[in-house]
Amino acid sequence: MYLVWVLPCQDARDTAGVLRSLADPAVPAGQRARMARAVAGLRGRPVVEALVRTSADAEPEVAEAGLETLCTVWRRDGVVGEDLLLKLDLQAQDRVRALGVRVRSPW
């Protein structure tokens, strides 16, 4: 059994470890889903990129948690990078666009 307290991640190494754990199939799906939701308060491109990868996870619970957290982050910020949006599947892209956030071109 794994017992992890995810937040607050004061140390950058802790944050990086949590982000790596999101994609680790050795970590139980329920725990990865909780971690995906817990990082919603963090900022930065590495967090968002990890969540984009998580949203494509083979475990539906983990993928949904990743997408929910992305929606929370992008709704809060009011903007999403087009390059990140295009990495999502079409259904997830539609869900993000329905939030009414501005899509910003990285170029």
Side-chain angles (χ1 to χ4, degrees), residues 17-35:
V18 167
L19 297 179
R20 277 190 303 276
S21 293
L22 289 174
D24 186 352
V27 178
Q31 183 177 347
R32 290 189 295 137
R34 285 189 301 278
M35 285 189 290

Side-chain angles (χ1 to χ4, degrees), residues 60-100:
E61 177 185 9
V62 177
E64 180 61 24
L67 184 57
E68 284 175 8
T69 305
L70 282 171
C71 288
T72 298
V73 168
W74 287 333
R75 187 180 307 116
R76 176 189 65 212
D77 294 344
V79 65
V80 57
E82 184 179 36
D83 60 321
L84 295 173
L85 182 64
L86 293 176
K87 291 180 181 180
L88 300 175
D89 65 49
L90 293 177
Q91 185 178 5
Q93 288 180 31
D94 290 342
R95 186 169 162 186
V96 171
R97 290 180 196 281
L99 297 173

